[in-house]
Amino acid sequence: MSATVSMPDRPLAAPRDPLLEPFAIKKLRLRNRIVSTSHASMLDDGGLPLERYQRYHEEKARGGLAMTMIGGSAMTSPDSSWGGGQLDLSSNRIIPHLAALSDRIHGHGAAVMCQVSHLGRRATSYGWNWLPVLAPSRVRETRNRNFPKEMDDADIARIIRDYADAALRCMEGGLDGIETVTGGHLIGQFLSPRTNKRTDGFGGSHENRARFGLMVHEAIRKRVGNDAVVGIRFVIDEGVADGSDFEDCLQLARIFEREGYIDYFNCIYGRMDTDLALAEDNMPGMFQRNAPYLASVAQFRRETKLPLIHAGGIRDVATARHTIREGVVDLIGMTRAHIADPHLVNKIRRGEEEQIRPCVGASYCLYKKVNCIHNAASGRETVLGHEVAPASRSLKAVVVGGGPAGLEAARVCAERGHSVVLFEAAAKLGGQLLVASAAHERRDLIGIVDWRIAELDRLGVDMRVNCYAEADTVRAEAPGLVIVATGGIPDTDWFEGSELCDSAWDVLTGTVPGKSDVLVYDGTGRQAAASCALQLARQGRSVCIATPDDALAVEMSYIDKSSFRKRFAELGIRSLVDVRLEKVERRGNALQATFRNELTGAESQVEASQIVVEYGTLPAAEIYHELRHLSANDGVTDIAFMLGSEEAAAPAPGHFLLHRIGDAVSSRDLYSAIYEAYRLCSKL
């Protein structure tokens, strides 16, 4: 009879995070599974990746990712420009700059690849080199609007040679590999029956439509050798009736696998020939759910053999981890998530996942360079650090206002080492973001608030809600620094009859119910009025939206603009453009709005049971004016100081510096408020 041996309790080993497992493509060993895929950052200087371009990608490498991919739509040829904002791989002048960039990236243990491409019909004839646009067939793209020349044999031979030359320049610049792209680019234009109407050996059958792409990759492989990594960003379904469906794309993919010139597929979905196609298919924004194409990618995985990458609305670590753990892909692209937080991977590694700044899908990074709507440092690495430097002295800081500007100011001041008290008059922190996130499409914006509240709690900030701060309240704290971030209130009293109208805030928050037929006046071109119109229409109201601008949503990115317009059409929301609101009068049981046409000056009237007006905000800055004469700087924020690099001098004992930021200064957007708070407070 054997004795029973009791084993001491041992802690179970924590399971290895699948995101942190290494992966190899050929001889390229990647330290984890997270990559940033190619995108046009618009940070180049005349087509060259100089200091700001390099620093932007270096920050991600420093932050721990496996590989950063540069050169979204990088030009293989002089006739492959959309007018600027692309790397120019068409000459040897780029090689030393690629070498400097690759040295930086490799110095942090990450790999770097470049997308090389010819735009085909996506290029422009009206910029850069002013050359004719080329394509497989004379089919105009809606978005880029050029009528292309149908390529002849000479064009085909030249561009194949240009691809190979561009790939070699990348390798001579020390990069780890290159990637081509199908999609709406030239190779994809040959692959798709929507854009390839040829009747020669490059059109018709799968083999014929694949021929140009195969010739490109054969030429690349001969030029760069077998050891270099060569991939293809490949559309797995165009999602449109006259294009390549999943089965068609799969047949094309098998041809590329069979020929053996490529090492991986980077799976993408949909088209990119209209603003809406980009917004809903290629780069899904706030109107789309998170990670919308994983099921299609998983199906593609079952039918192919090569390693897979996928990036498409993968905004959070949990989704990325699930995708890798389930074997859907081998490498996960978290491109916009890295614009929000380039240190994402290191935070996972350190067990600080809750501190990752979330991507909220606002797509502001597709609006003006790579600016993140709530990370002011992204795209500005040459002037702003992603980590807040400690101050040379500690102050008592009072922040008045708990909206986005105030939350960011409090966070940065606390990171600097100041002792911070935050006053907020309302019961909840968030300010105008609470209004914005009340709109269904923009609900994820609340992540901007939630992350900052968690950070303030971690940093020990004293947050006092339901506290209307007055001058004496602030002075009682004996501060050395006061930041007024009290935001604004809806500006609705600038026209006759304003008292008869409601604000967009009233409707979005449910304070005022919608009536049967509603006129929404949008005086800004931002999201508030459009969100309000959608909310009312979904409640069954008859809605008309009017604007003095020449089109709807002029201050939005093309992502939001096209998505709002689509939903307006689906819900039957009528629109009036080029009309300025002058007055509102009561007419029996209805209200009558009088407009003046911006072009002709003619008057017109529209009746509705309810009129909602959005015209930005008026600064709510009473406390600022009360404190000005008591402050050491008379409340003046010196522009040269704010734009410079020097730290502010400490005020004399018993005195305080006073600044106001965000909409407490003037009505602007969310990015402006957070950028202003970060830029200023990182120097105080």
Side-chain angles (χ1 to χ4, degrees):
M1 181 175 180
S2 61
T4 301
V5 180
S6 62
M7 300 295 292
D9 291 337
R10 294 180 180 176
L12 294 174
R16 175 75 175 174
D17 190 332
L19 290 174
L20 301 180
E21 292 286 349
F23 186 76
I25 302 177
K26 285 189 169 177
K27 296 180 180 180
L28 178 61
R29 185 172 174 82
L30 302 172
R31 59 185 174 183
N32 57 62
R33 302 301 185 94
I34 299 176
V35 302
S36 172
T37 54
S38 296
H39 54 287
S41 67
M42 311 298 285
L43 295 176
D44 65 291
D45 290 275
L48 297 177
L50 303 186
E51 185 68 12
R52 59 180 184 164
Y53 194 102
Q54 293 183 31
R55 290 279 294 277
Y56 165 68
H57 283 280
E58 182 184 16
E59 196 67 38
K60 293 184 280 189
R62 181 183 289 115
L65 54 51
M67 176 168 62
T68 188
M69 305 174 83
I70 66 171
S73 305
M75 297 166 50
T76 60
S77 310
D79 52 1
S80 180
S81 172
W82 57 47
Q86 303 156 264
L87 292 190
D88 181 8
L89 300 172
S90 67
S91 75
N92 290 339
R93 71 184 184 121
I94 199 170
I95 294 174
H97 305 293
L98 292 176
L101 186 152
S102 60
D103 283 347
R104 279 181 159 173
I105 303 303
H106 292 151
H108 296 287
V112 56
M113 293 179 61
C114 184
Q115 184 181 100
V116 298
S117 185
H118 195 293
L119 290 171
R121 69 175 190 155
R122 300 206 73 221
T124 180
S125 299
Y126 307 112
W128 198 258
N129 291 313
W130 289 72
L131 292 169
V133 169
L134 303 176
S137 303
R138 193 179 176 275
V139 180
R140 179 177 183 258
E141 180 182 284
T142 302
R143 188 169 196 266
N144 282 17
R145 307 184 62 81
N146 290 265
F147 288 97
K149 170 199 173 187
E150 182 172 304
M151 293 168 64
D152 58 26
D153 290 345
D155 297 321
I156 290 172
R158 171 180 63 83
I159 291 175
I160 290 172
R161 184 171 61 251
D162 288 347
Y163 264 102
D165 290 344
L168 181 60
R169 291 183 185 109
C170 290
M171 303 311 295
E172 290 177 339
L175 273 61
D176 298 292
I178 64 99
E179 174 185 271
T180 63
V181 58
T182 63
H185 293 222
L186 185 57
I187 294 175
Q189 292 161 30
F190 271 94
L191 295 179
S192 174
R194 297 187 79 239
T195 47
N196 185 346
K197 308 297 183 182
R198 300 174 75 102
T199 57
D200 62 3
F202 292 95
S205 69
H206 292 102
E207 297 285 345
N208 283 0
R209 284 184 280 134
R211 179 166 285 117
F212 174 76
L214 292 175
M215 293 170 70
V216 166
H217 286 89
E218 180 182 22
I220 288 173
R221 184 58 76 190
K222 287 180 178 178
R223 195 67 56 88
V224 302
N226 289 327
D227 289 341
V229 174
V230 177
I232 185 169
R233 191 164 184 166
F234 191 82
V235 172
I236 62 173
D237 190 338
E238 285 195 290
V240 63
D242 62 343
S244 292
D245 61 13
F246 181 84
E247 288 301 323
D248 192 64
C249 291
L250 185 58
Q251 291 301 315
L252 293 166
R254 286 171 173 159
I255 293 172
F256 279 92
E257 278 192 327
R258 181 193 71 202
E259 296 301 317
Y261 302 129
I262 62 171
D263 301 312
Y264 70 83
F265 289 112
N266 183 350
C267 301
I268 57 175
Y269 181 95
R271 300 172 293 123
M272 54 181 73
D273 52 2
T274 67
D275 284 350
L276 186 64
L278 277 170
E280 295 200 339
D281 291 351
N282 212 251
M283 294 178 283
M286 294 188 75
F287 284 78
Q288 278 64 51
R289 69 185 189 277
N290 187 25
Y293 305 119
L294 286 184
S296 296
V297 174
Q299 185 180 358
F300 187 80
R301 163 69 116 190
R302 291 190 290 270
E303 302 290 342
T304 53
K305 300 174 183 178
L306 288 174
L308 298 190
I309 302 174
H310 176 58
I314 313 293
R315 300 172 190 161
D316 63 279
V317 172
T319 301
R321 183 175 288 120
H322 165 79
T323 305
I324 295 295
R325 178 182 288 125
E326 296 302 312
V328 177
V329 296
D330 300 290
L331 298 170
I332 193 73
M334 301 189 72
T335 309
R336 282 179 281 180
H338 269 85
I339 298 174
D341 194 336
H343 299 166
L344 182 153
V345 177
N346 280 346
K347 290 180 179 178
I348 297 172
R349 184 178 290 113
R350 293 194 300 260
E352 299 170 355
E353 198 168 313
E354 72 283 352
Q355 293 181 35
I356 294 172
R357 188 192 311 253
C359 174
V360 297
S363 298
Y364 201 89
C365 52
L366 302 174
Y367 181 35
K368 296 179 179 178
K369 299 187 176 177
V370 292
N371 300 152
C372 173
I373 199 166
H374 75 126
N375 184 350
S378 278
R380 301 183 185 275
E381 285 77 12
T382 57
V383 293
L384 292 177
H386 282 269
E387 295 174 333
V388 178
S392 61
R393 74 283 186 264
S394 179
L395 299 173
K396 177 66 175 291
V398 172
V399 178
V400 185
L407 290 171
E408 181 70 348
R411 184 188 74 85
V412 176
C413 286
E415 291 276 18
R416 296 270 287 160
H418 301 315
S419 175
V420 183
V421 175
L422 171 66
F423 292 110
E424 168 54 45
K428 295 178 65 177
L429 296 168
Q432 291 185 47
L433 271 175
L434 298 180
V435 180
S437 60
H440 175 74
E441 285 78 16
R442 309 186 76 207
R443 60 194 181 280
D444 288 347
L445 289 176
I446 200 64
I448 297 172
V449 175
D450 293 343
W451 180 76
R452 282 174 172 76
I453 292 174
E455 285 294 284
L456 296 187
D457 187 60
R458 179 179 67 84
L459 293 165
V461 171
D462 183 0
M463 295 174 276
R464 305 179 192 176
V465 297
N466 286 318
C467 186
Y468 184 87
E470 298 179 325
D472 288 345
T473 315
V474 172
R475 294 178 66 191
E477 297 294 327
L481 173 63
V482 178
I483 305 294
V484 173
T486 41
I489 58 174
D491 184 2
T492 56
D493 60 357
W494 47 272
F495 62 96
E496 181 183 343
S498 62
E499 71 279 1
L500 301 173
C501 302
D502 300 313
S503 74
W505 292 20
D506 294 330
V507 175
L508 285 170
T509 59
T511 305
V512 172
K515 296 186 179 178
S516 58
D517 62 299
V518 188
L519 171 66
V520 178
Y521 181 71
D522 181 8
T524 69
R526 303 173 192 165
Q527 287 87 350
S531 295
C532 181
L534 281 187
Q535 183 163 304
L536 288 164
R538 285 170 176 154
Q539 294 170 358
R541 320 301 182 189
S542 174
V543 181
C544 176
I545 186 167
T547 177
D549 298 319
D550 62 359
L552 297 174
V554 295
E555 288 192 25
M556 299 187 206
S557 71
Y558 69 84
I559 294 281
D560 283 358
K561 184 183 301 184
S562 58
S563 296
F564 272 114
R565 287 174 55 215
K566 175 182 177 180
R567 282 148 186 83
F568 282 6
E570 290 173 339
L571 294 168
I573 296 174
R574 307 179 310 282
S575 63
L576 299 171
V577 299
D578 290 321
V579 291
R580 183 170 298 278
L581 180 63
E582 295 215 326
K583 65 180 178 180
V584 173
E585 304 168 283
R586 190 172 294 283
R587 287 286 185 268
N589 293 327
L591 299 176
Q592 178 180 277
T594 296
F595 292 103
R596 188 170 301 279
N597 188 280
E598 291 282 85
L599 304 176
T600 67
E603 281 193 357
S604 61
Q605 285 77 37
V606 176
E607 285 196 358
S609 58
Q610 183 179 26
I611 296 176
V612 178
V613 175
E614 167 58 24
Y615 198 69
T617 57
L618 289 170
E622 293 83 359
I623 190 171
Y624 167 78
H625 294 294
E626 292 173 8
L627 291 170
R628 277 195 72 166
H629 73 284
L630 302 172
S631 68
N633 62 330
D634 192 34
V636 174
T637 302
D638 182 74
I639 292 176
F641 160 72
M642 187 167 63
L643 298 180
S645 58
E646 293 186 4
E647 183 177 290
H655 294 78
F656 63 87
L657 300 172
L658 173 67
H659 299 275
R660 65 170 168 161
I661 58 176
D663 281 9
V665 180
S666 64
S667 180
R668 288 169 286 171
D669 67 1
L670 172 58
Y671 176 80
S672 300
I674 291 176
Y675 178 28
E676 189 167 70
Y678 189 92
R679 178 170 58 181
L680 174 65
C681 294
S682 62
K683 300 177 178 66
L684 296 176

